[in-house]
Amino acid sequence: MSFEVLILPTSWFRNPKTDLSNLRYLINKGYNKPRKTFGIIETLRIISTDSFFDDLAVLPNDQLNFFLLLGTEEKFQNLENNGIYRDFKDEDVQNAFGCDIPKEYRSLFPLSDLPNAKIKIVDSDFKLDDSYLKRVIASTGLRSYDKVSKPGEKDVILTTYCSFLSHAASDFLDFLISNCILNPKIFKALYSEPLSDFKTIVIHADCIIEHNLIDYYTGKCKFFKSNKPDISIASAAGGYKQVIASRNFNIGFLYRRIDV
């Protein structure tokens, strides 16, 4: 077995004793990669643990489920034995790619093994310590979508979609849809509603167009461009959702419809 999947459910986020520090480091490391590549966004994705929910636009009554793809301890021990150490806590944008799996070691994590991954929904008192953080390969979050759903439709929005292994993000998303979202037992555990109440699950996404993500989502992740108009953000207008930018940019909207 090459992979494990941890699900951090809404109950974990609602526990006031939950330490979000390592999750913040993880998210910032993932988002620092487009910050370095494109030079548009100047702020960290999560400014501090105190602003965690505000920075992700999570409201008090929202559902937030977070999925982590982990490599096994044995595989990462192999990396460390070869001098490969990952430091997610280094938030310097110049070191944005420091946690990516080097090309010569990608064979340790064959994505063809992903269907065999063991899935675990953590308890509300689970500690996301360094032993888990150093093994993260990809992450995906799904939070409540701020629109009224149609009858028989469940709407969620994709967030914190990050990968540290080439091609892992899109494969992991497909895995989550097939093995978690469309799994009646897991769906009920995450959403407190039976999957049978729905005919369709719609995953929405918004992205910075200048990060070349429209083609990525439509080409790799089976999304479609929404009819919702793009939003133009002026860098001098005080930021967008507390984001400071070096120049103007545009937000595009997409969706993926899943039949239940």
Side-chain angles (χ1 to χ4, degrees):
M1 183 179 68
S2 299
F3 302 106
E4 302 171 24
V5 175
L6 287 185
I7 303 176
L8 311 179
T10 300
S11 58
W12 185 79
F13 287 99
R14 288 182 176 169
N15 182 350
K17 295 182 179 180
T18 292
D19 184 354
L20 297 170
S21 299
N22 276 347
L23 195 55
R24 173 183 173 272
Y25 289 129
L26 167 65
I27 294 168
N28 283 343
K29 180 63 76 171
Y31 277 78
N32 271 358
K33 296 201 291 180
R35 283 182 64 209
K36 178 173 173 57
T37 300
F38 298 98
I40 299 172
I41 304 303
E42 297 184 341
T43 43
L44 290 169
R45 183 65 178 87
I46 308 294
I47 304 302
S48 71
T49 53
D50 290 337
S51 66
F52 186 94
F53 297 109
D54 287 340
D55 292 342
L56 292 181
V58 177
L59 300 175
N61 293 324
D62 280 353
Q63 295 168 320
L64 175 62
N65 296 296
F66 204 89
F67 306 83
L68 297 178
L69 178 63
L70 308 180
T72 62
E73 292 182 8
E74 177 187 4
K75 298 296 179 70
F76 278 100
Q77 186 60 56
N78 189 314
L79 285 183
E80 291 183 2
N81 289 343
N82 284 279
I84 307 298
Y85 296 91
R86 311 167 85 210
D87 184 5
F88 281 96
K89 298 180 182 182
D90 178 1
E91 294 184 321
D92 186 341
V93 71
Q94 298 306 315
N95 300 323
F97 293 89
C99 288
D100 282 14
I101 305 299
K103 183 177 181 179
E104 60 268 31
Y105 294 102
R106 290 175 189 168
S107 61
L108 289 174
F109 307 96
L111 293 171
S112 58
D113 283 355
L114 191 52
N116 300 316
K118 180 181 179 181
I119 302 170
K120 178 183 178 181
I121 302 176
V122 307
D123 297 329
S124 60
D125 59 354
F126 170 76
K127 307 298 183 185
L128 184 64
D129 61 26
D130 291 354
S131 68
Y132 292 100
L133 181 64
K134 73 176 185 178
R135 296 194 286 127
V136 174
I137 290 173
S139 70
T140 298
L142 296 175
R143 67 167 173 83
S144 298
Y145 185 56
D146 57 352
K147 69 180 281 291
V148 177
S149 297
K150 299 176 182 177
E153 182 176 287
K154 177 73 172 178
D155 291 87
V156 295
I157 187 165
L158 190 70
T159 187
T160 62
Y161 186 49
C162 306
S163 172
F164 304 96
L165 174 69
S166 182
H167 304 300
S170 56
D171 283 11
F172 187 40
L173 180 60
D174 285 341
F175 173 87
L176 294 179
I177 290 170
S178 298
N179 296 277
C180 298
I181 304 304
L182 293 179
N183 180 307
K185 183 177 180 179
I186 294 178
F187 185 92
K188 180 68 180 294
L190 298 182
Y191 294 105
S192 301
E193 300 170 289
L195 182 62
S196 57
D197 282 359
F198 302 98
K199 296 181 180 179
T200 308
I201 309 294
V202 182
I203 302 177
H204 301 266
D206 55 39
C207 66
I208 296 176
I209 294 175
E210 287 77 6
H211 284 178
N212 298 334
L213 287 171
I214 298 296
D215 288 344
Y216 170 76
Y217 276 112
T218 57
K220 295 286 187 181
C221 304
K222 305 173 188 174
F223 278 71
F224 292 90
K225 187 72 167 64
S226 171
N227 291 327
K228 184 177 179 179
D230 300 340
I231 296 177
S232 296
I233 307 297
S235 61
Y240 172 73
K241 296 182 179 179
Q242 303 183 47
V243 172
I244 298 173
S246 63
R247 54 189 169 92
N248 299 350
F249 62 96
N250 297 277
I251 302 293
F253 301 91
L254 307 101
Y255 68 93
R256 177 171 174 176
R257 188 176 301 275
I258 302 154
D259 294 329
V260 176

